[in-house]
Amino acid sequence: MNQTDLCYTSAIELGRLIRARELSPVALVDAVLARIERLNPKLTAYLTLTADHARELARASEGRR
């Protein structure tokens, strides 16, 4: 699944993929952050982005699996 597909996948399916270890939380966060980085200059949907914190939480989640 490519990064764009991940951004359009339902939360239920993403949860299933993570539980099945077919998708890592870090890969999901990276996909979403890449999309935000690409689109936000035009959309200005996010004023504050805590990318480092999001990655830290994803790594912690991955460690608990």
Side-chain angles (χ1 to χ4, degrees), residues 22-41:
E22 295 175 28
L23 173 65
S24 88
V26 174
L28 177 58
V29 166
D30 285 342
V32 171
L33 290 173
R35 183 172 172 81
I36 291 169
E37 185 178 312
R38 190 175 79 252
L39 297 176
N40 202 52

Side-chain angles (χ1 to χ4, degrees), residues 26 29-30 33 48-60:
V26 174
V29 166
D30 285 342
L33 290 173
T48 303
L49 191 61
T50 56
D52 293 335
H53 184 62
R55 285 188 181 103
E56 179 183 319
L57 293 174
R59 283 190 295 274

Side-chain angles (χ1 to χ4, degrees), residues 2-65:
N2 67 39
Q3 285 189 338
T4 300
D5 291 342
L6 287 176
C7 293
Y8 286 100
T9 302
S10 74
I12 292 170
E13 179 64 10
L14 291 171
R16 186 196 69 74
L17 291 169
I18 290 170
R19 283 188 303 280
R21 297 188 175 174
E22 295 175 28
L23 173 65
S24 88
V26 174
L28 177 58
V29 166
D30 285 342
V32 171
L33 290 173
R35 183 172 172 81
I36 291 169
E37 185 178 312
R38 190 175 79 252
L39 297 176
N40 202 52
K42 183 173 183 174
L43 299 175
T44 60
Y46 294 90
L47 299 177
T48 303
L49 191 61
T50 56
D52 293 335
H53 184 62
R55 285 188 181 103
E56 179 183 319
L57 293 174
R59 283 190 295 274
S61 175
E62 200 166 66
R64 288 190 302 267
R65 292 192 303 155

